[in-house]
């Protein structure tokens, strides 16, 4: 039995849903930031982040896989040449969803989904690492050699993203 | 198919409907403008959320 899609279904059928998500991801990569309903934003996030992961891989095969979703070659080009290098330091959590209240007309909860453009702050990772190190050394009562600051954990978004990544594994773009 | 045997009286209908109640939304104060806002959402008065600006969140005169 196939695993059901996480989150609500969109549109009038599977093809419609694929089209909605493809168009949303195209618009997101084109503009960097789009306003949509909360539900669509939540469905878009795993797909968009998966596409960015492909873009970071950067080879021809990855480009062809992205092109099966984002049909616009110009947008795919910007994704591979501009967005992917900007996300090089970031391990997941490429997008951010912010709720912006309800829409006039049908009172639908709206959200802004945007690409995270801020540089990865190494601060939180360093602080966490330092705390861990001090705890360890205090326990062992031996000075631990300083660990290098290569921990990727971007504290706030990393766990959520990990979850998103796992859920999208079963969904073949 | 099972159907009601009797017409429901207005009294009973109204008694049932008297339990339809709404609850007030729990609001927090915006750290930027001190206005009231829903938590985990951008402020409808000044449009900020965690120091970032979201013009889409701003309340228009028609929005509910």
């Amino acid at each position: 039995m196939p695993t059901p899609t996480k989150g609500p279904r969109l549109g009038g059928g599977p093809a419609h849903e694929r089209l909605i998500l493809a168009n949303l991801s195209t618009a997101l990569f084109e503009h960097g930031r789009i306003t949509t309903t909360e539900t669509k934003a939540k469905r878009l996030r795993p797909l968009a982040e998966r596409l960015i992961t492909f873009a970071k891989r950067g080879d021809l095969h990855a480009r062809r896989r992205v092109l099966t979703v984002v049909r616009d070659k110009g947008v795919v080009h910007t994704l591979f040449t501009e967005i992917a290098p900007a996300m090089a330091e970031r391990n997941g959590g490429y997008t951010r969803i912010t709720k912006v209240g309800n829409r006039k007309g049908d009172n639908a909860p709206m959200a802004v989904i945007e690409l995270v453009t801020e540089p990865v702050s190494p601060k939180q990772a360093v602080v966490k690492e330092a705390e861990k190190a001090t705890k360890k050394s205090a326990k062992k009562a031996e000075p631990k050699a300083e660990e290098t600051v290569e921990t990727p954990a971007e504290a706030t978004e990393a766990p959520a993203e990990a979850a998103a990544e796992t859920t999208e594994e079963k969904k073949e773009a | 198919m099972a159907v009601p045997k009797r017409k429901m009286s207005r009294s009973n209908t109204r008694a049932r409907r008297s339990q339809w109640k709404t609850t007030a939304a729990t609001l927090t104060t915006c750290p930027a403008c001190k206005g009231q806002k829903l938590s985990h959402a951008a402020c409808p008065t000044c449009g900020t959320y965690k120091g970032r600006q979201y013009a889409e969140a701003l309340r228009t005169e028609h929005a509910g």
Side-chain angles (χ1 to χ4, degrees):
Chain A
M1 187 179 145
T3 317
T5 313
K6 187 169 185 186
R9 314 296 176 269
L10 304 174
H16 190 190
E17 176 169 302
R18 278 197 300 274
L19 277 168
I20 290 174
L21 291 174
N23 290 338
L24 281 172
S25 53
T26 308
L28 176 64
F29 295 137
E30 190 179 348
H31 301 285
R33 164 179 184 154
I34 55 175
T35 310
T36 180
T37 61
E38 222 177 284
T39 311
K40 282 179 190 154
K42 280 182 182 172
R43 285 296 307 279
L44 173 60
R45 191 218 282 260
L47 176 66
E49 303 208 347
R50 191 173 164 78
L51 294 179
I52 293 175
T53 308
F54 277 126
K56 282 172 81 173
R57 207 171 295 162
D59 54 4
L60 183 61
H61 181 52
R63 187 178 289 258
R64 284 178 176 156
R65 300 224 20 212
V66 172
L67 272 164
T68 61
V69 179
V70 182
R71 295 288 179 173
D72 191 327
K73 277 187 186 164
V75 173
V76 172
H77 181 72
T78 53
L79 173 63
F80 274 68
T81 55
E82 286 164 32
I83 298 172
M87 300 291 182
E89 295 296 306
R90 196 171 285 280
N91 299 307
Y94 309 122
T95 59
R96 175 192 293 138
I97 296 176
T98 310
K99 294 169 194 162
V100 292
N102 295 357
R103 175 162 63 189
K104 177 203 163 199
D106 63 355
N107 211 30
M110 301 299 283
V112 169
I113 180 165
E114 59 192 337
L115 300 172
V116 180
T117 50
E118 290 87 1
V120 180
S121 72
K123 217 167 112 189
Q124 290 168 323
V126 170
V127 167
K128 243 185 190 174
E129 191 71 13
E131 274 175 7
K132 216 181 264 176
T134 48
K135 231 178 234 176
K136 228 178 196 177
S137 60
K139 219 182 206 177
K140 282 186 172 180
E142 74 165 21
K144 189 88 182 162
E146 78 286 72
E147 275 138 344
T148 47
V149 196
E150 62 201 1
T151 18
E154 208 232 330
T156 52
E157 293 183 13
E161 279 330 305
E165 291 289 324
T166 52
T167 55
E168 69 196 333
E169 289 302 319
K170 43 87 217 214
K171 194 175 178 182
E172 203 64 31
Chain B
M1 194 179 80
V3 289
K5 185 171 186 142
R6 295 257 168 222
K7 174 176 178 170
M8 197 173 192
S9 71
R10 272 182 284 187
S11 164
N12 271 339
T13 303
R14 286 167 186 174
R16 171 167 42 80
R17 288 188 187 159
S18 72
Q19 300 305 314
W20 292 0
K21 286 165 192 163
T22 183
T23 50
T26 47
L27 298 172
T28 54
T29 41
C30 174
C33 70
K34 311 296 174 207
Q36 292 202 313
K37 66 184 270 292
L38 286 169
S39 43
H40 310 292
C43 175
T45 315
C46 63
T48 55
Y49 185 69
K50 293 198 171 168
R52 299 183 298 267
Q53 188 69 31
Y54 293 92
E56 298 88 345
L58 288 178
R59 187 189 284 123
T60 60
E61 61 181 290
H62 298 293

